[in-house]
Short mmCIF file of all heavy atoms in Angstrom, two decimals:
data_model
loop_
_atom_site.label_atom_id
_atom_site.label_comp_id
_atom_site.label_asym_id
_atom_site.label_seq_id
_atom_site.Cartn_x
_atom_site.Cartn_y
_atom_site.Cartn_z
N LYS A 232 -139.06 5.73 43.34
CA LYS A 232 -140.47 5.42 43.27
C LYS A 232 -141.51 6.39 43.67
O LYS A 232 -142.69 6.28 43.82
CB LYS A 232 -140.63 4.15 44.19
CG LYS A 232 -139.98 2.86 43.64
CD LYS A 232 -140.60 2.34 42.49
CE LYS A 232 -140.11 0.97 42.04
NZ LYS A 232 -140.89 0.36 41.01
N GLY A 233 -140.88 7.63 44.21
CA GLY A 233 -141.78 8.71 44.47
C GLY A 233 -142.47 8.54 45.86
O GLY A 233 -143.55 9.29 46.15
N LEU A 234 -141.92 7.95 46.81
CA LEU A 234 -142.40 7.70 48.21
C LEU A 234 -142.31 9.21 48.80
O LEU A 234 -141.26 9.80 48.65
CB LEU A 234 -141.71 6.61 48.93
CG LEU A 234 -142.43 5.31 48.97
CD1 LEU A 234 -142.49 4.63 47.58
CD2 LEU A 234 -141.79 4.35 49.95
N ASP A 235 -143.42 9.42 49.65
CA ASP A 235 -143.30 10.79 50.24
C ASP A 235 -142.71 10.72 51.65
O ASP A 235 -142.97 11.57 52.40
CB ASP A 235 -144.68 11.38 50.31
CG ASP A 235 -145.67 10.48 51.14
OD1 ASP A 235 -145.32 9.35 51.48
OD2 ASP A 235 -146.85 10.92 51.30
N ARG A 236 -141.86 9.78 51.91
CA ARG A 236 -141.21 9.62 53.15
C ARG A 236 -139.83 9.05 53.01
O ARG A 236 -139.60 8.46 52.13
CB ARG A 236 -142.04 8.87 54.17
CG ARG A 236 -142.24 7.39 53.76
CD ARG A 236 -142.99 6.60 54.83
NE ARG A 236 -144.43 7.00 54.82
CZ ARG A 236 -145.25 6.71 55.85
NH1 ARG A 236 -144.77 5.90 56.78
NH2 ARG A 236 -146.54 6.89 55.66
N ARG A 237 -138.97 9.28 53.99
CA ARG A 237 -137.70 8.60 53.96
C ARG A 237 -137.81 7.12 54.28
O ARG A 237 -138.67 6.70 55.09
CB ARG A 237 -136.90 9.24 55.07
CG ARG A 237 -135.42 8.74 55.21
CD ARG A 237 -134.67 9.64 56.19
NE ARG A 237 -135.05 9.39 57.62
CZ ARG A 237 -134.53 8.55 58.43
NH1 ARG A 237 -133.61 7.71 57.96
NH2 ARG A 237 -135.04 8.46 59.58
N CYS A 238 -137.18 6.39 53.59
CA CYS A 238 -137.26 4.84 53.70
C CYS A 238 -135.80 4.32 54.20
O CYS A 238 -134.81 4.75 53.68
CB CYS A 238 -137.50 4.18 52.41
SG CYS A 238 -137.83 2.41 52.48
N TYR A 239 -135.88 3.61 55.27
CA TYR A 239 -134.73 3.01 55.90
C TYR A 239 -134.89 1.61 56.40
O TYR A 239 -136.12 1.22 56.51
CB TYR A 239 -134.28 3.96 57.04
CG TYR A 239 -135.41 4.23 58.00
CD1 TYR A 239 -135.58 3.52 59.26
CD2 TYR A 239 -136.34 5.35 57.70
CE1 TYR A 239 -136.61 3.79 60.13
CE2 TYR A 239 -137.24 5.68 58.65
CZ TYR A 239 -137.43 4.85 59.72
OH TYR A 239 -138.48 5.13 60.69
N PRO A 240 -133.84 0.88 56.60
CA PRO A 240 -134.04 -0.60 56.92
C PRO A 240 -134.98 -0.89 58.14
O PRO A 240 -135.87 -1.70 57.94
CB PRO A 240 -132.68 -1.08 57.22
CG PRO A 240 -131.85 -0.20 56.41
CD PRO A 240 -132.45 1.10 56.41
N HIS A 241 -134.94 -0.01 59.09
CA HIS A 241 -135.75 -0.32 60.29
C HIS A 241 -137.22 -0.08 60.09
O HIS A 241 -138.16 -0.52 60.66
CB HIS A 241 -135.23 0.39 61.57
CG HIS A 241 -135.24 -0.47 62.86
ND1 HIS A 241 -134.44 -1.59 62.99
CD2 HIS A 241 -136.08 -0.54 63.91
CE1 HIS A 241 -134.69 -2.11 64.10
NE2 HIS A 241 -135.66 -1.48 64.75
N LEU A 242 -137.52 0.83 59.08
CA LEU A 242 -138.90 1.24 58.68
C LEU A 242 -139.49 -0.15 58.18
O LEU A 242 -140.65 -0.38 58.39
CB LEU A 242 -138.91 2.24 57.63
CG LEU A 242 -140.28 2.69 57.17
CD1 LEU A 242 -141.21 3.22 58.26
CD2 LEU A 242 -140.11 3.79 55.98
N MET A 243 -138.80 -0.94 57.32
CA MET A 243 -139.24 -2.15 56.79
C MET A 243 -139.61 -3.16 57.98
O MET A 243 -140.59 -3.80 58.02
CB MET A 243 -138.14 -2.77 55.93
CG MET A 243 -137.71 -1.83 54.87
SD MET A 243 -138.94 -1.49 53.63
CE MET A 243 -138.75 -2.91 52.49
N ARG A 244 -138.76 -3.23 59.04
CA ARG A 244 -138.98 -4.09 60.12
C ARG A 244 -140.31 -3.59 60.92
O ARG A 244 -141.07 -4.38 61.36
CB ARG A 244 -137.69 -4.07 61.11
CG ARG A 244 -137.87 -4.92 62.33
CD ARG A 244 -136.52 -4.93 62.95
NE ARG A 244 -136.48 -5.27 64.41
CZ ARG A 244 -136.48 -6.45 64.85
NH1 ARG A 244 -136.37 -7.54 64.08
NH2 ARG A 244 -136.44 -6.66 66.15
N HIS A 245 -140.36 -2.32 61.11
CA HIS A 245 -141.55 -1.75 61.78
C HIS A 245 -142.77 -2.12 61.00
O HIS A 245 -143.80 -2.54 61.55
CB HIS A 245 -141.48 -0.16 61.93
CG HIS A 245 -140.47 0.26 62.90
ND1 HIS A 245 -140.27 -0.31 64.27
CD2 HIS A 245 -139.67 1.39 62.89
CE1 HIS A 245 -139.44 0.32 64.88
NE2 HIS A 245 -139.04 1.42 64.12
N SER A 246 -142.78 -2.07 59.74
CA SER A 246 -143.89 -2.25 58.84
C SER A 246 -144.25 -3.79 59.09
O SER A 246 -145.42 -4.20 59.16
CB SER A 246 -143.61 -1.89 57.46
OG SER A 246 -143.28 -0.61 57.32
N TYR A 247 -143.33 -4.63 58.99
CA TYR A 247 -143.49 -6.14 59.10
C TYR A 247 -144.29 -6.39 60.44
O TYR A 247 -145.17 -7.17 60.43
CB TYR A 247 -142.09 -6.74 58.96
CG TYR A 247 -142.09 -8.28 59.54
CD1 TYR A 247 -142.39 -9.33 58.77
CD2 TYR A 247 -141.59 -8.51 60.90
CE1 TYR A 247 -142.25 -10.63 59.33
CE2 TYR A 247 -141.62 -9.84 61.41
CZ TYR A 247 -141.83 -10.81 60.58
OH TYR A 247 -141.85 -12.15 61.10
N ALA A 248 -143.59 -5.84 61.56
CA ALA A 248 -144.11 -6.13 62.88
C ALA A 248 -145.64 -5.69 62.94
O ALA A 248 -146.45 -6.38 63.53
CB ALA A 248 -143.31 -5.57 63.94
N SER A 249 -145.95 -4.46 62.42
CA SER A 249 -147.23 -3.83 62.49
C SER A 249 -148.19 -4.77 61.76
O SER A 249 -149.36 -4.94 62.25
CB SER A 249 -147.23 -2.37 62.07
OG SER A 249 -148.47 -1.75 62.06
N HIS A 250 -147.92 -5.02 60.54
CA HIS A 250 -148.82 -5.85 59.69
C HIS A 250 -149.01 -7.19 60.17
O HIS A 250 -150.07 -7.66 60.18
CB HIS A 250 -148.27 -5.79 58.23
CG HIS A 250 -148.13 -4.51 57.66
ND1 HIS A 250 -147.38 -4.16 56.44
CD2 HIS A 250 -148.78 -3.19 57.93
CE1 HIS A 250 -147.47 -2.88 56.15
NE2 HIS A 250 -148.24 -2.34 57.02
N ILE A 251 -147.92 -7.89 60.74
CA ILE A 251 -148.20 -9.19 61.32
C ILE A 251 -149.14 -9.15 62.50
O ILE A 251 -150.05 -9.96 62.57
CB ILE A 251 -146.77 -9.80 61.64
CG1 ILE A 251 -146.00 -10.18 60.44
CG2 ILE A 251 -147.03 -11.08 62.51
CD1 ILE A 251 -146.52 -11.42 59.73
N LEU A 252 -148.91 -8.16 63.42
CA LEU A 252 -149.70 -8.06 64.62
C LEU A 252 -151.11 -7.57 64.19
O LEU A 252 -152.16 -8.26 64.75
CB LEU A 252 -149.20 -6.99 65.55
CG LEU A 252 -149.84 -6.78 66.84
CD1 LEU A 252 -149.81 -8.11 67.67
CD2 LEU A 252 -149.27 -5.75 67.76
N GLU A 253 -151.35 -6.80 63.25
CA GLU A 253 -152.65 -6.35 62.76
C GLU A 253 -153.50 -7.56 62.27
O GLU A 253 -154.66 -7.71 62.45
CB GLU A 253 -152.46 -5.30 61.60
CG GLU A 253 -153.74 -4.66 61.13
CD GLU A 253 -153.49 -3.67 60.19
OE1 GLU A 253 -152.51 -2.94 60.24
OE2 GLU A 253 -154.28 -3.56 59.18
N SER A 254 -152.79 -8.49 61.57
CA SER A 254 -153.38 -9.74 61.04
C SER A 254 -153.58 -10.80 62.05
O SER A 254 -154.70 -11.44 62.07
CB SER A 254 -152.58 -10.19 59.90
OG SER A 254 -152.52 -9.20 58.85
N SER A 255 -152.62 -11.10 62.98
CA SER A 255 -152.73 -12.10 63.85
C SER A 255 -153.14 -11.75 65.23
O SER A 255 -153.74 -12.64 65.90
CB SER A 255 -151.35 -12.80 63.91
OG SER A 255 -150.46 -11.96 64.60
N HIS A 256 -152.90 -10.67 65.71
CA HIS A 256 -153.26 -10.21 67.08
C HIS A 256 -152.47 -11.11 68.06
O HIS A 256 -152.93 -11.26 69.26
CB HIS A 256 -154.74 -10.16 67.41
CG HIS A 256 -155.33 -9.22 66.50
ND1 HIS A 256 -155.37 -7.76 66.77
CD2 HIS A 256 -156.14 -9.38 65.47
CE1 HIS A 256 -156.03 -7.19 65.77
NE2 HIS A 256 -156.62 -8.07 64.94
N ASP A 257 -151.42 -11.75 67.69
CA ASP A 257 -150.66 -12.64 68.55
C ASP A 257 -149.37 -11.97 69.00
O ASP A 257 -148.25 -12.05 68.29
CB ASP A 257 -150.31 -13.90 67.89
CG ASP A 257 -149.81 -14.98 68.77
OD1 ASP A 257 -149.22 -14.66 69.81
OD2 ASP A 257 -150.05 -16.25 68.41
N LEU A 258 -149.30 -11.24 70.10
CA LEU A 258 -148.10 -10.50 70.48
C LEU A 258 -147.07 -11.37 70.78
O LEU A 258 -145.83 -10.95 70.50
CB LEU A 258 -148.60 -9.63 71.73
CG LEU A 258 -147.61 -8.59 72.07
CD1 LEU A 258 -147.51 -7.44 71.05
CD2 LEU A 258 -148.08 -7.87 73.47
N ARG A 259 -147.17 -12.52 71.44
CA ARG A 259 -146.05 -13.40 71.82
C ARG A 259 -145.45 -13.83 70.45
O ARG A 259 -144.16 -14.03 70.45
CB ARG A 259 -146.60 -14.56 72.55
CG ARG A 259 -146.89 -14.28 74.04
CD ARG A 259 -145.77 -13.99 74.88
NE ARG A 259 -146.02 -13.67 76.22
CZ ARG A 259 -145.17 -13.33 77.12
NH1 ARG A 259 -143.89 -13.20 76.88
NH2 ARG A 259 -145.57 -13.08 78.45
N ALA A 260 -146.15 -14.23 69.48
CA ALA A 260 -145.52 -14.75 68.29
C ALA A 260 -144.80 -13.69 67.59
O ALA A 260 -143.65 -13.95 67.10
CB ALA A 260 -146.69 -15.15 67.28
N VAL A 261 -145.24 -12.42 67.68
CA VAL A 261 -144.53 -11.29 67.02
C VAL A 261 -143.13 -11.04 67.73
O VAL A 261 -142.17 -10.72 67.13
CB VAL A 261 -145.38 -9.87 66.91
CG1 VAL A 261 -144.55 -8.80 66.41
CG2 VAL A 261 -146.57 -10.25 66.03
#
Side-chain angles (χ1 to χ4, degrees):
K232 292 288 187 171
L234 264 66
D235 60 354
R236 65 176 71 189
R237 185 172 65 93
C238 189
Y239 50 94
H241 223 68
L242 178 62
M243 309 290 276
R244 178 172 158 88
H245 285 323
S246 302
Y247 163 84
S249 178
H250 296 162
I251 289 288
L252 185 60
E253 189 179 319
S254 300
S255 69
H256 299 286
D257 191 335
L258 195 63
R259 287 287 182 185
V261 175

